[in-house]
Amino acid sequence: NRLELLKNANSKIGLSDAKIKNIVFVYTPPKVGSTTLVSSIRLSASYKFSVIHLHDEEMLYVLTGVTDITISEIIRYNKYIGRNIYVIDVYREPLERKMSEFFDKLASFHFNNTTDKVNKYNVNRLIVRFNNIFTHIANGDHYFDKMADVIKPNQFDFEKKYLIQKVFDISYIKLRLRDSANWDKILSSILGAEITIIKDYETDKTPLKDLYQRFKSTYKIPSN
């Protein structure tokens, strides 16, 4: 019964074709540059890899209706049926990530207003709001939180700028957003395909970009 559920889940995320041999799971928290990774690998190497982009089981349910199956199970199932599997997670400095997530829903969620009007706010108003909700903004790390049942993280290689571990013949890869300028070389080497990085959605390029820059340049971390 479990195998049938996994087979069904595979079908709903587009992995039912028996011709698929290589899969990259971009399995990260939000706001860490994952969309850039997905776009880059798809545009550079769609001839070789199927790319699945997921943040968590809630996202899996919203996109496919799949329940009672974890993403880790889907990853292992695809290895079980003979595919080459790569799983990529990305680390972003917590403060920077929280800022990005805060601005992602700034107008509609935090101030219930239009982008044009929020753009005119005094930056101190945003800082007060940010500090009040700071501890409630997610701060997880998939390598520790979601994959700990499979892998025990090793020391990050600060010279190569990535970590790669192979468990059950599945390649688990940890990148850092701060090294995104090197992602093309890193991924080309790991995946054995020429990868060109296509910068996708960035908070710095949204309608709130100027306010975002003022916020980042003004913000000081409170003593508490």
Side-chain angles (χ1 to χ4, degrees), residues 102-192:
F102 174 59
F103 265 78
D104 192 44
K105 301 174 183 176
L106 186 69
S108 60
F109 186 81
H110 293 291
F111 291 102
N112 192 29
N113 212 332
T114 65
T115 299
D116 289 341
K117 289 184 178 179
V118 171
N119 254 325
K120 298 173 184 176
Y121 283 3
N122 185 300
V123 73
N124 289 321
R125 182 175 180 182
L126 276 61
I127 290 172
V128 170
R129 171 68 175 173
F130 183 67
N131 285 339
N132 284 339
I133 65 168
F134 184 87
T135 57
H136 302 288
I137 303 176
N139 191 35
D141 186 295
H142 278 19
Y143 224 76
F144 292 96
D145 302 335
K146 303 288 188 179
M147 305 175 197
D149 61 327
V150 180
I151 54 177
K152 184 178 180 180
N154 288 337
Q155 177 69 32
F156 189 84
D157 192 323
F158 293 97
E159 291 186 11
K160 291 184 176 179
K161 302 185 187 301
Y162 68 89
L163 168 65
I164 183 167
Q165 296 178 264
K166 208 154 191 176
V167 182
F168 302 126
D169 211 26
I170 298 170
S171 297
Y172 291 89
I173 303 155
K174 184 72 170 184
L175 304 175
R176 297 185 304 179
L177 183 61
R178 66 160 55 189
D179 302 317
S180 59
N182 302 106
W183 281 358
D184 52 353
K185 295 177 182 178
I186 293 170
L187 292 173
S188 296
S189 174
I190 293 173
L191 300 178

Side-chain angles (χ1 to χ4, degrees), residues 39-100:
S39 298
S40 300
I41 299 170
R42 282 178 176 162
L43 289 170
S44 301
S46 59
Y47 66 92
K48 184 175 182 179
F49 295 100
S50 292
V51 183
I52 303 298
H53 183 200
L54 293 167
H55 295 313
D56 51 33
E57 281 70 27
E58 182 179 351
M59 181 177 176
L60 177 65
Y61 171 71
V62 169
L63 293 177
T64 67
V66 169
T67 58
D68 302 323
I69 292 290
T70 68
I71 295 168
S72 290
E73 284 181 292
I74 293 173
I75 290 168
R76 293 197 292 269
Y77 171 73
N78 279 281
K79 182 67 230 180
Y80 170 75
I81 60 176
R83 289 163 168 170
N84 299 315
I85 307 297
Y86 299 84
V87 184
I88 302 178
D89 181 31
V90 180
Y91 175 82
R92 183 177 189 177
E93 279 74 4
L95 180 59
E96 186 179 297
R97 183 182 151 203
K98 283 174 181 264
M99 286 182 175
S100 181

